[in-house]
Amino acid sequence: MPKELLDLLRMIAKKENRRPKTNDFGRNRDPNLPHFMAYYNAFGSFENALAPLGSARLMITNEPIY
């Protein structure tokens, strides 16, 4: 599940051309996306979930996540 959540963060970054925010995963957004609390549950915080993706520039590229 954490890999899928990271993939969704990268998808949002590419779509919005910016760093994802918790608002992107709120109740007024795409109903197919998980609520931002899924990131808190899986990673401890939303910021912790963003950390493996690196900088905003890396988030919108196809570079692999390590």
Side-chain angles (χ1 to χ4, degrees):
M1 174 119 173
K3 183 192 179 315
E4 291 84 9
L5 291 172
L6 292 174
D7 290 343
L8 288 171
L9 285 176
R10 181 168 276 190
M11 180 192 75
I12 292 293
K14 286 181 183 180
K15 180 180 174 186
E16 302 292 332
N17 200 29
R18 62 167 169 76
R19 191 171 192 252
K21 301 175 185 177
T22 56
N23 294 5
D24 296 322
F25 298 90
R27 57 180 174 222
N28 295 325
R29 300 299 272 176
D30 185 341
N32 297 315
L33 293 176
H35 193 272
F36 70 86
M37 286 303 295
Y39 291 91
Y40 281 85
N41 293 335
F43 297 95
S45 75
F46 194 73
E47 288 298 318
N48 287 348
L50 293 173
L53 300 177
S55 69
R57 185 183 125 321
L58 288 176
M59 285 183 202
I60 59 175
T61 68
N62 288 323
E63 294 178 36
I65 301 171
Y66 296 104

